[in-house]
Amino acid sequence: GVGDVFFSGEGEGSQSGNLPSPEFMKPNNLYVNGQLVTNLVIPEGVTSVSDAAFMGFGGIKSVTFPASVAHVGIRAFCKSALQTVTIPATVQSIDIAAFSGCADLKSLTIEDGVKDIGPAAFADCLDLKKVTIPASIKNIQDFTFRWCNSMEELTIADGIESMGEWAFYQCDKLEKVSIPSSVKSIGRNAFNACKELKTVQLSEGLETIDRYAFTNCSSLEALHIPASVKAIGRNVVEDCPNLKSLTIAGGNTVYDTHGNSNAIYETGTNSIIAVSPEATIPEGIETVGDYAFAYCSDKQSVILPEGIKWLGDYAFLHCWSLHTITIPESVAYIGHNTFDSCDGLKEVIALASDPCKIEDDAFFVNNYKNANLYVPDNAVDSYREAEGWKKFEHIEGHSVMSINTPPILDYSEGEIMFKTDGQRVLLDNLNAGDNIIVYTLGGSMVKKVKAAPDGKAILVLPTNGIYVIRT
């Protein structure tokens, strides 16, 4: 009933009526009676749009579906020039990548009643700014809105039960999202690399947050985990430099935050599993879990408290600014690549007289050459012979006391706190990023470091003596 219809474009192969004249032979377009179709109206009675039916069609700007259409096939409109799409409630399913790569799509309406949206259905729709997902869609599939990097507004209706892997990966302009109580699980990398995401509201009822769910959300300021959450994957807030608050709701039986530590702990194993850059490690923790401090790039000095026994694999991965790490006597094991890519590490302070077990690749390869390993005076030979530890080229003994030993000197000037025990100096209550410069009495600079974001700095001086420390 539409006259002569033909498709132009290499490999389309489906045409009826008269062949087009040469001026109409443009790739991937639809013509009716010689006229380019820009507003596609699918006739009543059509029940399905076949796989790749309009894939790459450059002329079609909008599409209207009749009530008879129940299914839109795989890549049906992939990489087309669509600007406006309304999916009526009568459409039951939208298949894999059906509208993916529609870079000009600006307006999308999905009516309540649509049952299923397949993986990557709207991935790479670069101009899409607003999305509302109705309650009739129970599961947001993997990659559904990946790389929709103009998305500014996302509404998820109460009734949706799960969010798939990479579902909103790199939706750069998205600033806030509210997850309703019906959602039970957030998939791996669901909001990874959402650079402008500042606010995430998680509701009671959520049970699982998979690994990397909010990784690389560089604007995220706070994340509060509901009491109902029973499983949190590793690296869930990795590389979130502006995360000021990381908390668990009271009543959670699997995780806690030990007061205001800004870290997530697995209660049963006493393990740190995720931290914010503001995190502190309280007494009583036994394990720093795999990847726990990964990408905390602002941390310059870390004093692990006595009682910690295990440092997991990649626990301090890519802590580029880490200058000094103090390892207490209680540590029994340091895992694979624990300090991988910690290029700035200059001082490793081991307090145990007996070297703990350490994997051969625990430290970054450059650390063995560039960092000083300070050990108790009576343990230098032991460390020089111990597997893993003997790779350090610079192993020195010094009189650093136990973490729990009262300091030789405990002094304050205004709010600044200063302590020393042997050749180790600790400063507290500085401003984050303050320069600390150490001089000899003759005026020669011994070293220069910056205060960590928590206002702390740790120095190990080369020998006993008198120094000037300037802040």
Side-chain angles (χ1 to χ4, degrees):
V2 294
D4 292 337
V5 178
F6 61 84
F7 301 97
S8 74
E10 183 178 353
E12 294 298 337
S14 175
Q15 54 190 25
S16 62
N18 299 323
L19 290 174
S21 57
E23 64 267 24
F24 292 121
M25 288 295 290
K26 298 177 181 178
N28 297 323
N29 279 311
L30 173 66
Y31 295 86
V32 176
N33 294 330
Q35 297 297 312
L36 175 66
V37 174
T38 57
N39 301 310
L40 175 64
V41 179
I42 297 175
E44 182 67 43
V46 174
T47 58
S48 177
V49 180
S50 297
D51 296 350
F54 299 97
M55 181 175 176
F57 276 44
I60 297 175
K61 307 299 182 185
S62 68
V63 57
T64 300
F65 295 98
S68 57
V69 170
H71 176 73
V72 179
I74 297 171
R75 295 187 176 88
F77 294 90
C78 175
K79 295 184 179 180
S80 70
L82 281 171
Q83 296 179 357
T84 303
V85 172
T86 296
I87 311 294
T90 48
V91 173
Q92 296 301 292
S93 63
I94 301 169
D95 219 324
I96 299 169
F99 296 89
S100 67
C102 293
D104 298 326
L105 184 62
K106 295 177 175 61
S107 175
L108 172 64
T109 302
I110 305 172
E111 294 183 355
D112 195 13
V114 176
K115 295 292 191 296
D116 182 53
I117 297 179
F122 297 95
D124 310 332
C125 292
L126 304 181
D127 216 15
L128 187 60
K129 292 181 172 57
K130 180 179 179 180
V131 171
T132 298
I133 305 173
S136 57
I137 297 170
K138 298 304 179 186
N139 303 301
I140 302 173
Q141 302 284 357
D142 299 347
F143 304 99
T144 303
F145 294 96
R146 178 200 66 181
W147 284 334
C148 292
N149 53 21
S150 293
M151 188 190 297
E152 297 175 349
E153 186 175 340
L154 172 63
T155 302
I156 302 170
D158 194 8
I160 293 169
E161 296 175 358
S162 69
M163 306 177 71
E165 297 182 0
W166 307 89
F168 299 94
Y169 173 72
Q170 207 166 328
C171 291
D172 285 346
K173 298 293 178 62
L174 188 62
E175 293 188 6
K176 62 180 179 179
V177 63
S178 180
I179 310 296
S181 59
S182 59
V183 172
K184 303 301 180 187
S185 64
I186 298 175
R188 182 176 57 162
N189 291 288
F191 292 92
N192 190 337
C194 291
K195 301 289 189 182
E196 298 298 321
L197 187 61
K198 294 180 181 179
T199 305
V200 175
Q201 179 66 51
L202 304 177
S203 300
E204 187 67 24
L206 181 65
E207 296 177 357
T208 301
I209 306 173
D210 209 341
R211 57 184 177 173
Y212 305 104
F214 299 99
T215 285
N216 201 21
C217 292
S218 53
S219 298
L220 186 62
E221 296 176 349
L223 189 67
H224 182 67
I225 310 293
S228 55
V229 171
K230 306 304 179 189
I232 299 175
R234 71 186 188 200
N235 309 74
V236 68
V237 288
E238 178 183 280
D239 201 13
C240 295
N242 287 301
L243 188 63
K244 300 292 189 289
S245 175
L246 180 62
T247 55
I248 298 281
N252 192 301
T253 58
V254 180
Y255 303 102
D256 61 79
T257 50
H258 282 268
N260 296 319
S261 65
N262 281 310
I264 298 174
Y265 303 88
E266 191 174 54
T267 306
T269 60
N270 241 344
S271 303
I272 303 173
I273 63 167
V275 301
S276 80
E278 306 291 327
T280 58
I281 306 174
E283 298 287 340
I285 298 303
E286 295 183 352
T287 300
V288 178
D290 297 348
Y291 295 88
F293 285 87
Y295 287 88
C296 286
S297 54
D298 286 338
K299 282 200 173 295
Q300 294 201 341
S301 59
V302 173
I303 302 174
L304 298 173
E306 190 66 37
I308 287 181
K309 298 177 180 178
W310 188 282
L311 303 184
D313 297 346
Y314 297 95
F316 293 90
L317 172 69
H318 286 298
C319 291
W320 300 295
S321 297
L322 185 62
H323 183 277
T324 304
I325 180 79
T326 299
I327 301 169
E329 293 181 82
S330 56
V331 171
Y333 174 77
I334 301 177
H336 290 286
N337 299 287
T338 299
F339 296 96
D340 189 19
S341 299
C342 293
D343 254 342
L345 192 60
K346 299 298 181 186
E347 296 172 346
V348 179
I349 306 168
L351 300 183
S353 294
D354 295 323
C356 70
K357 177 177 172 52
I358 180 173
E359 295 297 342
D360 198 52
D361 56 359
F363 287 86
F364 192 42
V365 62
N366 292 344
N367 301 152
Y368 297 113
K369 180 178 180 180
N370 298 329
N372 290 323
L373 172 60
Y374 295 100
V375 303
D377 280 328
N378 62 352
V380 173
D381 290 341
S382 297
Y383 278 87
R384 286 177 177 167
E385 295 172 1
E387 292 299 324
W389 294 107
K390 67 183 181 181
K391 295 175 68 175
F392 281 91
E393 295 182 16
H394 309 288
I395 302 177
E396 301 179 26
H398 63 111
S399 56
V400 170
M401 304 299 181
S402 164
I403 288 174
N404 295 323
T405 300
I408 297 167
L409 178 65
D410 190 347
Y411 175 76
S412 63
E413 176 64 35
E415 294 183 351
I416 295 177
M417 305 297 296
F418 173 93
K419 296 182 181 182
T420 180
D421 52 3
Q423 289 158 235
R424 186 177 63 172
V425 176
L426 301 91
L427 296 107
D428 200 354
N429 286 343
L430 301 169
N431 295 314
D434 276 356
N435 286 318
I436 301 102
I437 309 173
V438 183
Y439 300 94
T440 66
L441 287 183
S444 299
M445 188 173 73
V446 176
K447 64 174 54 185
K448 178 180 179 180
V449 299
K450 288 188 176 182
D454 59 4
K456 292 183 172 63
I458 306 171
L459 311 170
V460 176
L461 302 178
T463 60
N464 292 329
I466 300 176
Y467 296 90
V468 176
I469 299 178
R470 180 176 180 178
T471 68

